[in-house]
Amino acid sequence: MQTYLEPTQESGRALFMRGIAGSVVMLNLLRYRAVADYSATPQLAPPTPITGEAAYRLYMEHTMPHLEKSGGKLLFFGRGGGFLIGPSDERWDAAMLVQQSSLTSFMAFASNAEYLGGMGHRTAALEDSRLLPLEESGW
């Protein structure tokens, strides 16, 4: 089973080639690990094992000040589950909508060294994820 936790160079290039003007909303779909895996960042690991969901909460606590400082905001965070329309064997534990004023501000946020210092919580937390940049189009 292929998993997706980080963007590729190609997907980053394609995002910028879209030429999104104005704000961008990122739709995040998240599937947590049963137990967080801190093997890549043991220095961030809590003293006792925690769930992937708890590790993601640590990631969000670390992330929110950096997101807000960059001009971004959390629009929605909610629990997921099975699809009403979609594959019956696919589930997402949570969905999140994050707005940034522009792709430039998103990239500044995503490359901020202080923010990146807590990314290990996200990696430990997630079994799989999706990130879909959304551009307002109106009717």
Side-chain angles (χ1 to χ4, degrees), residues 40-131:
T41 53
Q43 71 279 11
L44 293 178
T48 58
I50 61 174
T51 65
E53 183 175 5
Y56 202 81
R57 274 192 226 112
L58 292 174
Y59 165 72
M60 289 302 293
E61 288 170 9
H62 171 83
T63 298
M64 288 306 296
H66 303 291
L67 178 66
E68 291 166 357
K69 186 177 178 182
S70 74
K73 61 183 172 180
L74 179 64
L75 300 177
F76 175 85
F77 190 96
R79 291 192 187 277
F83 283 105
L84 180 58
I85 299 175
S88 62
D89 62 342
E90 186 176 320
R91 74 161 210 311
W92 295 100
D93 297 316
M96 180 170 57
L97 294 171
V98 177
Q99 184 178 33
Q100 279 285 352
S101 60
S102 67
L103 281 180
T104 302
S105 64
F106 169 73
M107 289 308 296
F109 160 74
S111 61
N112 175 296
E114 290 179 23
Y115 158 71
L116 291 171
M119 279 292 290
H121 291 299
R122 182 183 185 279
T123 304
L126 296 178
E127 178 181 298
D128 201 2
S129 68
R130 301 291 185 272
L131 181 61

